[in-house]
Amino acid sequence: MRFSALNYIPPLVSLILALALTPVVRSFARRKGFVARPKIDRWHKNATATIGGVAIWLTVVCVYLTLIPHTPYGWVIVGASTFLFLVGLIDDLIHIKPYQKLIGQVMGAALVVYYGLALPWTRSLPINMVITIFWLIGITNAVNLLDNMDGLAAGIASIASVFLTVSFIAGGQPAEALMSSVLAAALLGFLVYNSNPATIFMGDCGSMFIGFLLASAALVNVSGGRSRTFVPVLAVPILVLFIPIFDTTFVTILRKLSGRAASQGGRDHTSHRLVALGMSERRAVWLLYGLAGLSGLLAITVRSIKADVSLALIAGFTLGLTLLGVYLAGVKGYDEVEQAVAEGEKPFAFLVDFSYKRRIFEVLLDIVLIMLAYWAAYAVKFGPVSNSPAWRLFLRTLPVLVVVRLAAFLFFGVYRGIWRYTSIDDLMSFAKAVATGSIVSMLIILFKLRFQGFSRAVFLIDALVMLMLLAGSRMTFRLFRQVLPAANGGAGRRVLIYGAGDAGELLLRELVNNRDLRCSPVGFMDDDPMKQGKVIHGFRVFGGNGLLKKVIDQYRVEQVLISTPRLSAERTSEIQRECEAQNIEVKRMSIRIEDLDDTRLPPITRATRNGDL
């Protein structure tokens, strides 16, 4: 069967059917009392209809039975997924025990494996069968856990279905492509009602059906088709479903570190932490949609490029998400009081242990970066990996380079810095460490192998790439702080900083970085006309001299912080009078020198009568 224009009919019918069935199921759920009520460990604030998965299941099954060519594997996937739908529906209606759901998942996975579907990741069939069972159960629960914010699970699953469809078409599997396209269309129809603000949730019946169907379809994608090379077989199913896998791994690790059960519900998922940073729910969900799209594109790309390039791209994407996860691990997904109630212990005590292990993570990260940089240098100079003498020398000398570079990083203090405060001085240390590592490596190779068969250009390319990767990895947290919202997310007092000099810039960084101050800067004001209209870290500098009242009114300023010590007493008094007239609090940044032997030294600046910062 060829994929033609007529094949657009089933997904179109699926979309229309989902749009029609979802409000019917929603009305039924409300009448019968099948609603999800707000809880302390759940995100939604209002009672919302559930069992929306019934509409998705009915849509997919009806379209599959009437409009899609049936294959043996197709019957197995739809049948086993329907069984998981029933298990989830029972849980939605009467709330069965977690182990009972697990038994149902094992039964469904065993059914799929029994009929010959398995991940061909090893040469041992029994091992492949065990891996496949874990895969099916893991992805099913990953999608279930991902259903934690309006539209998130349905949207990510629809994106995964679209890329599975493309992968099926590329692999010459049109019947399976139709099945995944029908699922994608059904999810898009359901998203109309499930997007923020959601009026219906899919429930366990929906998430278990969708997760199991996607996991099973991925098995067909790598078991058949034209692409049988190692990297696509291994990577495509993981990449297509990478965001559910990432979120589940992220939450599981952090919950284990905090002493909580991984299966316990909570508002500590990736999406919740993005909202805690100040993102809107919609923006957080769309950001995860974008990451799902990138991983899907990568899944399609690795089917047609060299294995070593594929592995490098996958490693880079994984490292990027890992760094994002490390950054988000420091963001509180719970309100402190709510978390204390939910956990019965000190909020976020696990972060102490997590940060304690950070250096180990940095070393492991650098080992990967060293290998990537060295591989990139050889790939640029000699082309893709092959059995040539050059690549044999690459494998022979790679351990030397790893050891020497790590020693150089240690010697030059690469591991003494704090990532979010990475500065030009740190970059100079990185450059010295990379240069020293390259020189010492060259000397070792010169004395050991007489530099026979080596290209000196490789070491130059390697050093440049290594410096970019090292500096880039350390700058990621600063990048996240620029791209993602500030930690206070616009909450707290709206503050105007008077003085756009060095002290003002220092004060701005403190306000942005110190969440305990609960301040939200709106910009700067300065009497210097040369600074008017300039921007400091994304915040505009307004002109002074008569514009203070206008800026306070326009930007709803609640507090003015004077950062500059250069204001005359007359000008300071004038600013105070203008602010007091509008009932605006004024404070002055005060830097004090304390605990010195010479107690006669006065403070560098004095606070105004309205108080210190």
Side-chain angles (χ1 to χ4, degrees):
M1 176 189 128
R2 295 181 59 188
F3 203 86
S4 64
L6 293 176
N7 297 131
Y8 291 106
I9 294 177
L12 180 61
V13 172
S14 177
L15 175 64
I16 296 172
L17 199 55
L19 287 170
L21 285 175
T22 303
V24 174
V25 173
R26 180 182 60 189
S27 177
F28 174 81
R30 288 173 175 172
R31 286 200 311 270
K32 297 298 181 180
F34 301 137
V35 295
R37 304 193 183 280
K39 295 181 181 179
I40 193 171
D41 61 346
R42 291 295 184 266
W43 187 253
H44 63 283
K45 300 299 183 183
N46 302 310
T48 306
T50 186
I51 67 169
V54 172
I56 300 171
W57 173 77
L58 279 174
T59 298
V60 173
V61 170
C62 289
V63 175
Y64 178 77
L65 293 176
T66 57
L67 297 176
I68 296 178
H70 301 153
T71 63
Y73 283 158
W75 280 114
V76 172
I77 292 173
V78 172
S81 300
T82 297
F83 176 74
L84 267 294
F85 161 78
L86 294 174
V87 172
L89 183 61
I90 293 172
D91 183 53
D92 287 331
L93 300 182
I94 63 174
H95 302 294
I96 60 179
K97 302 290 186 182
Y99 77 87
Q100 293 172 321
K101 287 198 294 184
L102 179 60
I103 291 173
Q105 292 169 4
V106 172
M107 293 170 63
L111 180 65
V112 169
V113 171
Y114 175 77
Y115 279 97
L117 281 174
L119 288 169
W121 285 355
T122 73
R123 296 181 179 180
S124 171
L125 180 59
I127 294 177
N128 287 342
M129 293 172 68
V130 172
I131 292 174
T132 303
I133 291 175
F134 276 101
W135 164 264
L136 291 168
I137 295 173
I139 296 300
T140 301
N141 286 294
V143 174
N144 184 271
L145 286 172
L146 193 66
D147 188 23
N148 55 66
M149 191 170 284
D150 294 352
L152 182 58
I156 296 293
S158 65
I159 292 170
S161 300
V162 168
F163 283 106
L164 267 179
T165 301
V166 175
S167 186
F168 278 130
I169 294 173
Q173 299 166 285
E176 289 77 9
L178 277 178
M179 184 171 64
S180 57
S181 68
V182 164
L183 175 61
L187 290 168
L188 289 175
F190 177 74
L191 262 176
V192 173
Y193 309 95
N194 183 238
S195 296
N196 183 269
T199 58
I200 186 170
F201 297 151
M202 66 173 63
D204 278 9
C205 64
S207 60
M208 290 178 68
F209 172 72
I210 294 165
F212 197 87
L213 184 59
L214 285 172
S216 303
L219 299 180
V220 180
N221 186 227
V222 297
S223 298
R226 301 185 187 117
S227 177
R228 298 288 298 170
T229 56
F230 171 74
V231 173
V233 167
L234 181 66
V236 167
I238 295 177
L239 288 171
V240 167
L241 298 165
F242 198 86
I243 296 304
I245 294 171
F246 169 77
D247 183 69
T248 301
T249 304
F250 175 73
V251 169
T252 300
I253 291 174
L254 293 188
R255 287 180 182 174
K256 288 296 183 182
L257 288 172
S258 65
R260 298 169 57 209
S263 59
Q264 178 182 344
R267 295 187 293 164
D268 53 351
H269 289 264
T270 310
S271 54
H272 302 145
R273 294 173 189 274
L274 290 171
V275 173
L277 279 173
M279 280 189 171
S280 65
E281 289 186 37
R282 285 179 178 270
R283 186 178 173 191
V285 169
W286 276 96
L287 175 60
L288 293 175
Y289 285 175
L291 293 175
L294 283 176
S295 63
L297 285 172
L298 189 56
I300 300 303
T301 302
V302 299
R303 297 179 64 101
S304 57
I305 59 179
K306 298 291 185 179
D308 57 325
V309 180
S310 298
L311 291 173
L313 290 175
I314 294 169
F317 183 73
T318 304
L319 285 176
L321 278 186
T322 301
L323 291 172
L324 177 62
V326 173
Y327 179 77
L328 292 178
V331 178
K332 297 178 182 179
Y334 270 89
D335 178 83
E336 289 187 1
V337 176
E338 291 179 351
Q339 185 186 348
V341 173
E343 295 183 11
E345 58 185 12
K346 185 178 179 180
F348 271 71
F350 75 93
L351 286 180
V352 176
D353 294 333
F354 186 82
S355 60
Y356 180 76
K357 298 176 176 64
R358 186 185 63 179
R359 297 306 179 192
I360 298 176
F361 165 76
E362 289 185 41
V363 172
L364 295 176
L365 170 67
D366 287 343
I367 291 173
V368 176
L369 295 182
I370 291 167
M371 292 190 293
L372 277 177
Y374 202 40
W375 166 84
Y378 267 82
V380 169
K381 182 64 178 177
F382 299 106
V385 174
S386 64
N387 197 31
S388 64
W391 281 105
R392 288 196 293 270
L393 286 173
F394 164 81
L395 295 174
R396 186 177 178 183
T397 56
L398 180 60
V400 174
L401 200 74
V402 170
V403 172
V404 171
R405 282 218 185 281
L406 288 178
F409 292 169
L410 188 63
F411 179 81
F412 284 95
V414 171
Y415 300 114
R416 290 199 294 264
I418 300 176
W419 286 20
R420 63 176 177 171
Y421 298 125
T422 300
S423 63
I424 298 297
D425 291 336
D426 295 309
L427 296 181
M428 293 302 296
S429 297
F430 298 163
K432 293 175 184 177
V434 170
T436 302
S438 296
I439 293 171
V440 173
S441 298
M442 291 177 66
L443 291 175
I444 292 174
I445 293 172
L446 174 63
F447 284 109
K448 185 175 178 61
L449 301 175
R450 303 299 179 186
F451 236 84
Q452 295 178 357
F454 277 87
S455 170
R456 290 165 179 79
V458 164
F459 286 92
L460 177 60
I461 298 171
D462 168 68
L464 294 174
V465 176
M466 185 69 246
L467 180 58
M468 288 189 293
L469 292 177
L470 185 63
S473 66
R474 269 52 179 183
M475 294 292 289
T476 49
F477 281 11
R478 295 192 64 171
L479 176 63
F480 289 148
R481 297 177 77 88
Q482 293 293 323
V483 174
L484 300 177
N488 53 36
R493 300 183 304 275
R494 296 178 63 81
V495 171
L496 176 67
I497 301 174
Y498 209 106
D502 292 338
E505 190 268 345
L506 177 65
L507 177 57
L508 173 66
R509 282 192 286 158
E510 179 65 18
L511 295 178
V512 171
N513 293 332
N514 191 339
R515 304 170 190 169
D516 294 333
L517 293 176
R518 299 186 177 276
C519 292
S520 176
V522 299
F524 293 86
M525 176 162 280
D526 200 289
D527 293 336
D528 185 353
M530 298 297 294
K531 295 180 181 178
Q532 184 175 354
K534 304 297 184 182
V535 176
I536 300 177
H537 298 315
F539 292 90
R540 182 182 171 189
V541 179
F542 307 104
N545 298 321
L547 294 177
L548 181 58
K549 183 179 184 302
K550 178 181 178 182
V551 172
I552 289 175
D553 292 338
Q554 182 176 352
Y555 292 92
R556 305 188 308 280
V557 175
E558 300 173 78
Q559 188 178 59
V560 173
L561 302 179
I562 300 176
S563 65
T564 176
R566 299 177 181 175
L567 285 180
S568 65
E570 293 78 13
R571 181 59 180 147
T572 301
S573 298
E574 182 181 346
I575 293 172
Q576 288 180 339
R577 287 194 298 271
E578 288 187 57
C579 292
E580 287 174 354
Q582 300 181 75
N583 199 27
I584 300 298
E585 185 182 20
V586 181
K587 290 186 178 182
R588 187 165 195 167
M589 185 173 70
S590 177
I591 305 174
R592 297 182 181 276
I593 301 178
E594 299 175 350
D595 301 326
L596 294 180
D597 292 336
D598 189 352
T599 58
R600 293 172 297 175
L601 287 174
I604 292 178
T605 60
R606 296 185 180 275
T608 69
R609 59 187 175 86
N610 288 326
D612 296 345
L613 176 62

